[in-house]
Amino acid sequence: MENIVQKEWEVVENKLHKILIFKDFQETFAFMVKIAFLAEKNNHHPKWCNEWNKLEIWLSTHDAGDIVTEKDRVLAKQIDELLI
């Protein structure tokens, strides 16, 4: 899987945010499926937007007032490990 991380995780409006660019839609969607399994395992689900080869992800903890918590940092790290 060839992907380009456009941005490292950064805090935007109290959310962790990252944009990933992949070769095509199929690679992007395959990566989203991997994230879906992590999200279910962690019982913590991202907000995301996909357009063809671009995946934009936001992480925040809704039941903590929609701010960044340790749950978000853990999931962000796990997502990053999928990119290795």
Side-chain angles (χ1 to χ4, degrees), residues 7-57:
K7 293 184 178 183
E8 295 300 318
W9 291 101
E10 58 183 36
V11 177
V12 176
E13 296 179 10
N14 293 321
K15 294 170 181 54
L16 289 179
H17 178 255
K18 190 171 208 171
I19 298 173
L20 303 172
I21 302 294
F22 295 85
K23 184 177 84 174
D24 55 27
F25 178 76
Q26 188 172 353
E27 279 194 3
T28 308
F29 194 81
F31 193 74
M32 291 173 71
V33 170
K34 291 178 183 180
I35 293 173
F37 282 100
L38 286 177
E40 282 298 301
K41 180 180 174 186
N42 288 290
N43 192 29
H44 191 56
H45 305 87
K47 174 183 175 183
W48 58 18
C49 180
N50 163 240
E51 184 176 353
W52 189 61
N53 70 334
K54 179 180 176 180
L55 176 60
E56 196 164 357
I57 307 168

